[in-house]
Amino acid sequence: MKITQARLHAVRFPLHEPFIISYATYPDMPSLILELETDNGLVGYGEAVPDEHVTGEYFTASYEVLKELFLPAVIGMNPFDIEAIHHKMNGILAGNPAAKAAVDIACYDLMGKASGQPVYNLLGGQSKEHLSYPRVLSIESPEIMAKKAKQAVEAGYGSLKLKVGAGNAQLDVERILAVREKVGPDMPIRVDVNQGWKSVGTAVAAIRQLETAGLSWVEQPIRMGDIRGLAEVRQKTAVPIMADETVQSMEDLLEIIRLDAADVINIKLMKCGGIFHAVQMAKTAEAAGMLCQIGSMVESSVASSAGYHAAMSRINIESTELTGPLLFSEEIGDLKYEHPHVLLSGKPGLGIEVDPEKLKKLTVTSCTVGGDFA
């Protein structure tokens, strides 16, 4: 089986409401949807959601990287040769993990379809019965976040993720405590600062005020790359610490393990380059006694389902937060959510159907690499 042609779609997914985190406000979500076709007529889907704040990739630049470099390089290759494909992409251009993830995910979709198996069966099988996800609340006033949190509890969600870190750490503490007061003591709450508290001192002061709030963890409280600083925050506080933007590669993970800098790591396919590396990182974390999460860069059903397949295959991936499709007012796939669970179909590959008419409608521009695309 050989990859014969590719079609790349630059898409902008409309959101129900703006998505607000510490470093950006998104009125819509830019994404690159990839189709890879093989000589036996199979089509695999992949996705890249570049984030210049995290991986240093930009939407239009990643489109050109795929179009001019990565897609021509994989034409003629067997999608099962996933290590060779990654080696080839790495030899062409360093970094660019989201662009590489698009190719990786499409290859796994093809592998599953060719073998008649869901992707998780190619990675280790079904390690858990259910996959769940939280209600994610973007940054708003303490009162509005508390109100939305209460509505989420009443709607049947089993956990909450609060986005904070917009510049005022004390106001963030008020947001978190307001939500805790509104939902009661038993609802699991995760806090994601997205680097917003920046310094060790600010993070420690804020977290110490939250030590009686019963938080599951505080995620990436300081700037990315400062692993020693993250270790210091962990040593000086009593709330579990999750590393996110700081852990993008296996090298980052090894340094976090060496410095005992986090209790949990947040693996994202867009940060590490796809399913292949995500599973490797989860196995390495397991050897170090660490738990993992598969997190989201607000992807569609394509990359979200890929993340859920990776999570299904590994016992130490205990949480998932791939909720992008729920935030979109228009989507291209049919990944099924019944909160608090997501339901993988068990069909071959990613197990989703992509609606070509919706894809066409949401596409801003597209290109073909290789032969004519049917």
Side-chain angles (χ1 to χ4, degrees), residues 89-136:
M89 290 192 293
N90 290 340
I92 293 170
L93 190 64
N96 292 272
K100 291 170 181 175
V103 175
D104 172 281
I105 293 165
C107 286
Y108 273 101
D109 193 23
L110 287 169
M111 286 187 252
K113 288 172 177 175
S115 60
Q117 295 292 324
V119 166
Y120 59 74
N121 275 352
L122 307 180
L123 305 174
Q126 189 171 346
S127 72
K128 48 186 71 72
E129 187 174 350
H130 296 296
L131 294 166
S132 62
Y133 60 94
R135 173 70 165 94
V136 180

Side-chain angles (χ1 to χ4, degrees), residues 40-51:
N40 58 351
L42 295 176
V43 176
Y45 287 91
E47 181 176 15
V49 178
D51 187 336

Side-chain angles (χ1 to χ4, degrees), residues 172-182 209-210 212-213:
D172 288 335
V173 170
E174 294 174 16
R175 290 181 172 107
I176 296 160
L177 294 179
V179 169
R180 173 54 78 199
E181 181 179 4
K182 181 68 73 171
Q209 295 180 70
L210 298 168
T212 60

